[in-house]
Amino acid sequence: MQRRLFLRIAGGGVVVAATAGGLAACSSALPPEAIAAWQGPGNEPDPRRWVLAHAILAPHSHNLQSWLVDLREPDAITLFIDRSRLLPETDPFSRQMMMSQGTFLELLDLAARQRGLRAEITLFPQGAFGPQALDARPTAHIRLRPDASLQPDPLFAAVFQRHTNREAYEAREPDPAALQAIAASLAPHAVRAGFVGAAQAEALAQHRRIAMEAWRIELETPRTMLESLRVLRIGPKEIAEHRDGLSLNDPLVRALSAVGLFDRSRAPAPGDAATTRQIEDFNAKIAATPAFFWMLTQGNDRATQVNAGRAYVRAQLAATAAGLSMHPLQQALQEYPEQAGSYAAIHRLLDASSSGQTVQMWTRLGYAPAVGPAPRRGLDAHILPT
């Protein structure tokens, strides 16, 4: 999700001038310990830890990584959601959180297949959560069993290259063969998906309008913007300490934060110059986006949400393998009151409302310069104590 900085610069030119000499020596690369998980598990002897080391590389809303696992049962994994890592303002019913549980389970399954193990996944073994809130019951129970008949899934090869790309996309249309590969990747899960591009000019324009409006609403709603600011990690020290959330390691931002000119304690006013710049930047990227991908489900119960997450990460892996990038546009799919108009608009546009379907995922799609991985907390941070 495109959530960037808000700079409150009073006399900012003086700050830039005073720090410019030092900025040249600063690197914007993430600290190595924050991305060490992307190196893989190596020769991990416990197959459960080996598959989990891949699962924690899954995409997650706001990169909160709300996965907890219990390994006390031999040859089994019990997955819980960390309820201290939710998004009550932008994701009040935790639909996105359930999808993020699904992305984790899909990468776990792909990794298990790679080791010749069948992951027998039982969702909500103690009953599913209600539609309004989550509780302490597990999301899934997984038992790993050897199965010589299993074939590795080709999508596994893209696990370490899959990164969410929020940058500007090239104007060229996605290759039709790539779109076919993305659609084919969804076969294991009951979703309806599609694409819109230049050939559907009016529909493409409507997608862009809805995305722009939903983004503006999130920026100008103080409590939803503060939710992002609270998980913003600035500079190598914060990024290495937390290894989650939304990372900013730009030298100028670090300098502004160090001298107290980057305020994360309150949201900018709607007419704030920084807000206006962010809207303009996002709108320019949306206006140049050559295609959008969308994914719908019949119904919206908890198991459906989890399986939608499983389907989405397969689509992103297939896109990665084809050289394409995806950037989720969750703002219009969020269920807080201010977004009701955008939520209804995208559902109407995709003919979901009349058929009782739910838009579970909506993304930008296109070719873009490569980006690096997001921080990960490491496997041990997700394992419950014995």
Side-chain angles (χ1 to χ4, degrees):
M1 283 148 275
Q2 179 73 14
R3 296 179 172 86
R4 293 199 179 246
L5 61 156
F6 289 88
L7 302 181
R8 303 185 178 284
I9 306 177
V14 175
V15 173
V16 173
T19 59
L23 294 180
C26 296
S27 170
S28 60
L30 297 183
E33 59 269 40
I35 55 175
W38 291 92
Q39 301 302 312
N43 297 319
E44 171 59 60
D46 184 340
R48 297 176 301 172
R49 289 180 59 93
W50 194 89
V51 300
L52 288 169
H54 293 82
I56 64 170
L57 303 181
H60 192 296
S61 296
H62 277 56
N63 192 30
L64 288 184
Q65 306 166 48
S66 60
W67 308 302
L68 290 173
V69 294
D70 187 336
L71 300 181
R72 287 177 293 181
E73 181 183 352
D75 303 318
I77 301 165
T78 304
L79 173 65
F80 296 85
I81 188 162
D82 185 344
R83 288 179 293 152
S84 70
R85 292 174 171 270
L86 303 180
L87 296 167
E89 300 297 345
T90 53
D91 187 31
F93 306 126
S94 295
R95 181 192 65 83
Q96 294 178 68
M97 289 294 153
M98 286 292 96
M99 289 189 67
S100 296
Q101 296 278 288
T103 61
F104 180 94
L105 287 171
E106 188 63 31
L107 291 201
L108 182 153
D109 190 25
L110 293 178
R113 285 177 171 271
Q114 200 71 15
R115 290 283 293 259
L117 298 169
R118 180 178 300 280
E120 297 178 350
I121 299 173
T122 301
L123 294 181
F124 306 109
Q126 297 177 16
F129 308 132
Q132 302 293 319
L134 310 183
D135 56 48
R137 290 174 293 175
T139 303
H141 179 270
I142 307 103
R143 186 168 294 281
L144 301 179
R145 299 189 186 278
D147 187 342
S149 70
L150 281 180
Q151 295 295 317
D153 192 313
L155 292 178
F156 178 81
V159 166
F160 290 96
Q161 285 72 49
R162 182 217 60 79
H163 308 311
T164 297
N165 195 321
R166 299 169 176 83
E167 301 305 318
Y169 290 2
E170 298 176 15
R172 61 184 169 121
E173 289 272 295
D175 184 87
L179 300 184
Q180 292 175 6
I182 294 170
S185 73
L186 301 172
H189 301 291
V191 299
R192 180 166 73 88
F195 308 90
V196 62
Q200 303 87 32
E202 177 54 31
L204 181 62
Q206 292 184 63
H207 278 261
R208 288 169 172 167
R209 283 196 294 270
I210 295 168
M212 291 177 187
E213 175 64 5
W215 172 241
R216 182 195 64 78
I217 290 168
E218 183 160 311
L219 288 189
E220 295 183 351
T221 303
R223 71 181 192 284
T224 59
M225 201 58 241
L226 273 173
E227 191 166 68
S228 294
L229 291 175
R230 290 189 186 107
V231 297
L232 196 60
R233 317 304 186 197
I234 297 177
K237 182 178 179 181
E238 285 189 16
I239 293 170
E241 177 185 356
H242 294 280
R243 293 185 289 166
D244 66 359
L246 310 171
S247 299
L248 279 175
N249 203 27
D250 179 86
L252 176 58
V253 180
R254 287 155 54 183
L256 292 170
S257 181
V259 296
L261 293 180
F262 184 22
D263 187 355
R264 285 176 275 177
S265 66
R266 60 191 179 95
D272 187 276
T275 303
T276 301
R277 287 195 297 273
Q278 290 301 298
I279 291 172
E280 291 172 350
D281 177 69
F282 181 80
N283 287 354
K285 290 178 180 178
I286 290 294
T289 295
F292 293 84
F293 163 77
W294 47 264
M295 196 178 74
L296 285 71
T297 61
Q298 190 67 49
N300 191 33
D301 59 81
R302 294 304 192 182
T304 297
Q305 293 167 359
V306 171
N307 288 328
R310 296 188 66 173
Y312 168 63
V313 75
R314 292 184 64 85
Q316 196 182 24
L317 290 168
T320 299
L324 284 163
S325 292
M326 279 187 174
H327 170 200
L329 301 171
Q330 287 284 15
Q331 288 80 16
L333 308 185
Q334 292 167 345
E335 298 163 279
Y336 58 94
E338 290 85 349
Q339 289 288 13
S342 298
Y343 184 93
I346 191 62
H347 278 72
R348 282 195 304 269
L349 180 59
L350 298 177
D351 194 28
S353 302
S354 60
S355 57
Q357 294 183 311
T358 298
V359 183
Q360 299 286 0
M361 183 55 73
W362 180 39
T363 79
R364 297 165 63 212
L365 180 67
Y367 299 99
V371 295
R376 285 295 183 270
R377 294 190 294 140
L379 177 55
D380 289 336
H382 299 276
I383 298 177
L384 290 167
T386 57

